[in-house]
Amino acid sequence: MAKIASRTLIPHMRLDELLAELQGRLEAVLATRDRVHALLDAVVAVGSDLDLETMLRRIVETAITLVDATYGALGVAGEQSTLLQFIPVGLSEEEIAKIEHWPHGLGLLGLLIKQPQSLRLAHIGDHPESYGFPPGHPPMGSFLGVPVRVRDEVFGNLYLTEKRGGGEFDEEDEAIVTALATAAGVAIENARLYEETRRREMWLQASAEVTTSLLSGAEPHQVLTLIARRAREMVGADIVAVLLPDDSGQVLQALIADGEASDQVAHAEASIADSLAGRAFTSGEPLMITDPAETDIPIVIAEYVSLGPVAAVPIGASGGVRGVLSLGKRSGRIPFNQADLRTLHSFAGQAAIALELAESRMDAERLSLLEDRDRIAKDLHDVVIQRLFAVAMTLMSTVRLIERPEASARVQNSIDELDGTIRQIRSTIFALQVSPRDGEASLRAQIVALVEGARGHLGFMPGLTMEGRLDSDVPPRIAEHLPAVLREALSNVVRHAKASKAEISVEAGQERLILTVADNGVGLLAGSGRSGLRNLQERAERLGGSFEIGSPPEGGTRLVWSVPLGEDRS
């Protein structure tokens, strides 16, 4: 009986073992099926978005989920086996803040860039190429690195660390991440093609819009604002500024800004001799920097916004650069590439055309204005003055034929009025024939502004007569003194004269400039000492002239300031 029981027990034990083994294999098959399904879902998810930056982060998040890692990152390979960009996942904001800097592509990460092949380690520190972690970086043990290829180009590497539960990454983990990296390479290539197509489409639309604005005669500031906004949108920048040289030619001034902190950036300045924008302006070639914190080159827009990648693109070709487009992205974003710079440089050429057209339009308008002024001056001289002069001559010959004294006086008064009108027209002709320098008010304009400005203080409008070529015959040094003298004279009338009428006369003769200010006020009080009058006296003597002030018989005050128009005697 014992033997029969033993024989019966042995088959049962073998059956249990076989069933347990079968169950284990079924569970492994189910687990593999689940991971394959998860991988397929991940491939679909990765390829569902065509925005490159969003896709790269999604690739890392998917890889972490598939192999149950704690941390993950994607390093975008740059030149000379360096990391152009580092996208971490799994770190909290507090942990990120503690890290002094992201890896630069040295040590183990640099090895994966130079030798792009899968690498599994039980502990990162055991590898002879391990360079250690940056200060503040959390400790990490197990490691899995897999290259991401786009066609035959190594785009970067997937880094996964700290498998949950304290275990190591196995061959199956490596196979799954390798398959994901292959799918990611295809998705990245599609995203790149999409970005390039989108950039070209935006370039065409923006170019058409700018061309329309230029042909419609829009103001330069409006066109440059449009160019700045479209340039920022084309390359996905967060801030852009248009910098143009100032009058000194030593400084670039940000006249237009679009994007983050545009109000502050719009008042920035960059030295042409020592700044990224200055170097682009001088060389005529677009420049870019991946991380402003790692360079000593001043970057004007980075002083107002915390930026990562920055670029400076000249407006115009080498030898004819008119300004610079300065662009920046937030820290952590994908840097500008050569395709971005080429597109921006080509587009910025339209900004140069806008400036060229604006200058040409201003020159044409200035020339047209000068031609109109010259024509009006000739018409006044050849037609109006001659007719007035003929009328005056006729009246003068008629005066002798008039017997009644009252009628003769009236005709003589009309002759005097015509004579004054002719002098005023001559003065206007002189003003029309002289064009002040750009940005400078003519001497006549300064005199008119001072007289009109005194109206509010006096309560009446003073009379003004100007004769001679004030804007051409008065030397610059005398022209600097005359407004100050007139200002002081009008101030005295306002404060002391108590007048109801005032007449100002400025005459530029062949030899002297004479300023006369007369009023019908209380006159010059005896014993009054005024420092302003001494100042007028000193100015006249400094220029070799004279100064007189007194009360004429008819009352009021009459001031005469006269200086020679020859060489200055100071």
Side-chain angles (χ1 to χ4, degrees), residues 137-150:
H137 198 287
M140 295 180 181
S142 55
F143 175 84
L144 173 59
V146 175
V148 177
R149 288 183 171 86
V150 177

Side-chain angles (χ1 to χ4, degrees), residues 163-461:
K163 188 174 179 68
R164 299 184 187 278
E168 300 178 14
F169 296 104
D170 55 25
E171 293 182 1
E172 189 175 342
D173 293 331
E174 182 179 338
I176 288 178
V177 175
T178 300
L180 176 66
T182 302
V186 176
I188 291 171
E189 175 68 6
N190 292 336
R192 281 180 164 181
L193 293 174
Y194 170 76
E195 287 288 337
E196 184 176 351
T197 302
R198 186 182 66 87
R199 187 187 300 112
R200 288 179 179 175
E201 182 180 355
M202 292 184 66
W203 187 89
L204 291 173
Q205 291 177 348
S207 297
E209 192 173 356
V210 170
T211 301
T212 302
S213 298
L214 291 173
L215 295 178
S216 64
E219 291 296 323
H221 188 277
Q222 180 182 349
V223 177
L224 290 176
T225 301
L226 174 63
I227 288 172
R229 184 169 63 253
R230 291 292 179 259
R232 182 179 64 82
E233 293 171 351
M234 264 191 286
V235 296
D238 296 304
I239 179 69
V240 61
V242 178
L243 295 96
L244 301 179
D246 65 356
D247 295 335
S248 68
Q250 304 298 319
V251 175
L252 291 171
Q253 295 179 326
L255 302 182
I256 297 168
D258 185 75
E260 294 184 6
S262 57
D263 293 341
Q264 291 86 356
V265 175
H267 303 287
E269 292 185 350
S271 169
I272 293 179
D274 184 26
S275 68
L276 182 66
R279 294 185 182 187
F281 181 83
T282 304
S283 66
E285 296 295 332
L287 304 171
M288 63 177 175
I289 292 177
T290 303
D291 188 358
E294 297 180 1
T295 179
D296 295 331
I297 303 174
I299 301 170
V300 59
I301 58 175
E303 298 175 5
Y304 300 87
V305 188
S306 178
L307 295 177
V310 292
V313 181
I315 298 174
S318 179
V321 179
R322 295 182 166 271
V324 175
L325 274 177
S326 185
L327 304 101
K329 295 183 180 181
R330 291 189 301 271
S331 180
R333 294 192 58 195
I334 295 178
F336 301 100
N337 55 41
Q338 292 299 324
D340 291 334
L341 296 186
R342 287 193 298 270
T343 301
L344 287 171
H345 197 191
S346 175
F347 185 65
Q350 302 219 15
I353 296 175
L355 296 175
E356 289 275 4
L357 287 178
E359 289 183 2
S360 300
R361 190 180 297 119
M362 291 176 62
D363 290 340
E365 291 174 354
R366 187 181 296 109
L367 179 60
S368 176
L369 176 62
L370 293 176
E371 290 176 346
D372 287 343
R373 291 173 62 167
D374 188 57
R375 177 182 56 78
I376 293 170
K378 288 181 179 179
D379 289 345
L380 288 173
H381 182 272
D382 298 340
V383 179
V384 178
I385 284 184
Q386 299 304 323
R387 288 187 177 183
L388 290 175
F389 187 74
V391 172
M393 293 295 293
T394 301
L395 290 176
M396 288 178 65
S397 63
T398 307
V399 170
R400 294 190 298 270
L401 303 177
I402 300 175
E403 296 180 355
R404 296 180 59 182
E406 298 86 356
S408 177
R410 289 185 179 180
V411 173
Q412 185 62 49
N413 184 60
S414 298
I415 293 173
D416 294 339
E417 289 293 332
L418 285 172
D419 186 55
T421 301
I422 290 173
R423 287 199 302 270
Q424 289 287 352
I425 294 176
R426 287 184 186 275
S427 179
T428 302
I429 292 173
F430 294 151
L432 289 172
Q433 290 175 337
V434 177
S435 178
R437 297 178 182 178
D438 293 339
E440 296 182 4
S442 66
L443 184 57
R444 288 177 174 273
Q446 294 181 59
I447 294 171
V448 172
L450 287 171
V451 174
E452 291 181 345
R455 178 179 185 176
H457 301 287
L458 291 170
F460 60 87
M461 183 65 188

